[in-house]
Amino acid sequence: MPGDGLKIKATDDEDLEVFAAVLQDAPMPLAEVTFLEEERRFAALFHRYLYENVQETTGGDDLQQIDCALVLDGVSSAQAWDIGGLGGRGQVELMTIVSEDIQGGGVSITLVFHGGGHIRLDADAVQGRLADMGEPTKATRRPRHSPLYDL
């Protein structure tokens, strides 16, 4: 049913760990990533796996994906390494999200991708939200890491 998707906020490191778990292995098209410097906002679209809807644990035939927007506010800078550039071609898969305090104030939030790519965001504080968009579709492939499909 529309509007029933995931909607969560992050205000600290523990919340970012939840974001990382929800988005683990989710593909992120590089064309769907932006840093709006004047608005101090980073936004990215992921195709997250709906692990919470899985009924069968051996074949993965019922696994679905949904578009999911990640937005982080209060971001003063964004740098990308080894992913082909923000707004570029192709896609990467999220492995995790880590954060650490910056000396003198603020926080560094790093999105870590399979294959070694990173996006580092410097922000005033953790101010994020994650929200599903649209309707789920059948997953076109299995995620890289999932105990649900270990045979």
Side-chain angles (χ1 to χ4, degrees):
M1 178 177 272
D4 285 350
L6 179 78
K7 290 182 179 121
I8 54 177
K9 290 184 179 183
T11 58
D12 59 28
D13 293 343
E14 289 179 11
D15 294 339
L16 286 177
E17 289 177 14
V18 173
F19 279 23
V22 167
L23 293 174
Q24 185 174 6
D25 295 325
M28 180 190 79
L30 293 174
E32 299 293 340
V33 180
T34 190
F35 171 52
L36 305 170
E37 190 170 1
E38 287 185 21
E39 294 179 35
R40 297 174 48 90
R41 177 172 291 145
F42 172 84
L45 180 72
F46 289 85
H47 304 302
R48 82 171 185 92
Y49 293 99
L50 292 167
Y51 297 117
E52 66 269 24
N53 291 350
V54 173
Q55 300 296 317
E56 182 183 320
T57 59
T58 57
D61 293 333
D62 59 343
L63 186 61
Q64 295 180 312
Q65 287 178 276
I66 192 166
D67 288 347
C68 188
L70 168 68
V71 177
L72 296 166
D73 290 313
V75 176
S76 57
S77 69
Q79 298 174 316
W81 293 276
D82 298 330
I83 61 170
L86 303 182
R89 294 185 188 164
Q91 68 181 12
V92 291
E93 296 170 6
L94 187 73
M95 189 164 59
T96 193
I97 301 172
V98 295
S99 64
E100 61 184 341
D101 291 335
I102 298 173
Q103 186 174 6
V107 63
S108 171
I109 301 168
T110 304
L111 283 69
V112 181
F113 299 95
H114 294 287
H118 295 77
I119 297 175
R120 177 186 165 152
L121 309 167
D122 289 340
D124 302 330
V126 176
Q127 302 173 57
R129 56 193 182 279
L130 195 62
D132 288 344
M133 302 170 15
E135 296 296 321
T137 58
K138 182 174 176 51
T140 56
R141 61 188 173 128
R142 291 181 177 190
R144 285 181 191 254
H145 302 96
S146 177
L148 295 172
Y149 304 111
D150 290 344
L151 301 176

